[in-house]
Amino acid sequence: SNEMIKTMSDAINVQMPYNFERLLFYLTGQNHGLVNGWMKTVDSTNKLDLDKTWHEKLRQEFRSARITDEEMCNAMKRARDELSFFADPHTSVALSAAEKLGYRLFQPLGDEEESSIGTAPVVAIMATASPCKFEETVTAALGKDGWDDYFEKSFPENAKDLLDTEEMPPTLYRWDKDMSLDDVQKVWEHHSREIIRTKFDCQVG
């Protein structure tokens, strides 16, 4: 796409996921030659057109749903209220998508049939992030009181410790034009080890 619509789920604001190449690799039966050609096309044209055969094969393995910011926020609220679970924005997208695809996670809303709960398929959703990283979005979804409640009850203690830690200035790694790759790597490794030794008082083997 020539443009991307920014959402409240920051990690989903990506047009080319880092694992896209891996997906294609397994989709093609580990045909690295074919995938290599596809990725070269992506690099040169910023797009990839797959024929109908590959689209059908994808549909056999994957189902997808489009989730709005409003739906994501609603899923985050329902996860807290009905499941006593504080979900991050990306997990909330998954929760909402699962419901849209027919899996039952929450209590029925509006005209939804209560009897359908027992017949809905079981689903497992893996949360890969913590709400502690997304104060702005969690506050937008749950309100200031909701964020404060999360901070008091569920905010990771080791993350709280980081809030009181002095932030280190960024480290700039430079590559002098006369240095070889091997020399640059040795200099950067030495610099990184010194940071660990002096800032964290430990040695790196």
Side-chain angles (χ1 to χ4, degrees):
S1 174
N2 293 326
E3 62 180 39
M4 180 178 66
I5 299 175
K6 180 174 171 55
T7 73
M8 296 172 67
S9 308
D10 289 339
I12 295 178
N13 297 330
V14 177
Q15 290 189 313
M16 180 63 72
Y18 74 93
N19 57 356
F20 180 62
E21 186 173 0
R22 185 190 312 160
L23 182 152
L24 295 178
F25 179 65
Y26 289 110
L27 176 70
T28 61
Q30 305 183 35
N31 187 333
H32 46 76
L34 179 58
V35 174
N36 184 50
W38 284 349
M39 297 311 296
K40 286 181 178 178
T41 298
V42 172
D43 290 339
S44 61
T45 66
N46 291 321
K47 66 178 183 178
L48 177 63
D49 295 319
L50 298 178
D51 63 36
K52 185 177 180 180
T53 301
W54 296 115
H55 278 273
E56 289 302 323
K57 194 166 184 179
L58 275 170
R59 291 191 181 99
Q60 293 173 12
E61 301 293 338
F62 295 97
R63 298 172 66 204
S64 63
R66 179 174 298 194
I67 305 302
T68 66
D69 283 340
E70 181 179 0
E71 290 170 327
M72 180 277 293
C73 289
N74 185 52
M76 191 183 295
K77 292 177 187 174
R78 297 179 74 185
R80 178 198 60 181
D81 296 342
E82 299 180 27
L83 306 176
S84 299
F85 176 70
F86 286 100
D88 66 273
H90 313 108
T91 303
S92 299
V93 168
L95 291 168
S96 185
E99 276 233 307
K100 191 169 285 190
L101 292 172
Y103 299 99
R104 179 66 66 185
L105 300 169
F106 305 116
Q107 295 300 312
L109 285 177
D111 297 330
E112 295 179 16
E113 292 289 338
E114 182 79 34
S115 60
S116 66
I117 294 180
T119 60
V122 175
V123 62
I125 294 176
M126 291 177 283
T128 58
S130 169
C132 72
K133 298 167 57 180
F134 307 98
E135 179 178 357
E136 182 178 351
T137 301
V138 173
T139 300
L142 305 182
K144 179 65 165 57
D145 290 342
W147 171 261
D148 291 343
D149 185 46
Y150 164 70
F151 188 86
E152 178 182 347
K153 296 178 180 178
S154 301
F155 201 95
E157 289 301 323
N158 55 351
K160 284 183 179 179
D161 293 339
L162 288 176
L163 296 177
D164 297 324
T165 302
E166 183 180 353
E167 185 173 348
M168 292 174 55
T171 299
L172 299 179
Y173 291 90
R174 302 186 183 279
W175 186 333
D176 295 335
K177 62 180 181 180
D178 296 328
M179 296 178 67
S180 68
L181 175 60
D182 187 56
D183 290 337
V184 169
Q185 289 177 331
K186 289 179 180 178
V187 170
W188 290 2
E189 179 182 351
H190 175 75
H191 194 177
S192 298
R193 288 176 181 273
E194 282 299 299
I195 291 175
I196 295 172
R197 184 182 65 81
T198 58
K199 297 294 184 179
F200 302 100
D201 192 29
C202 61
Q203 297 291 331
V204 179

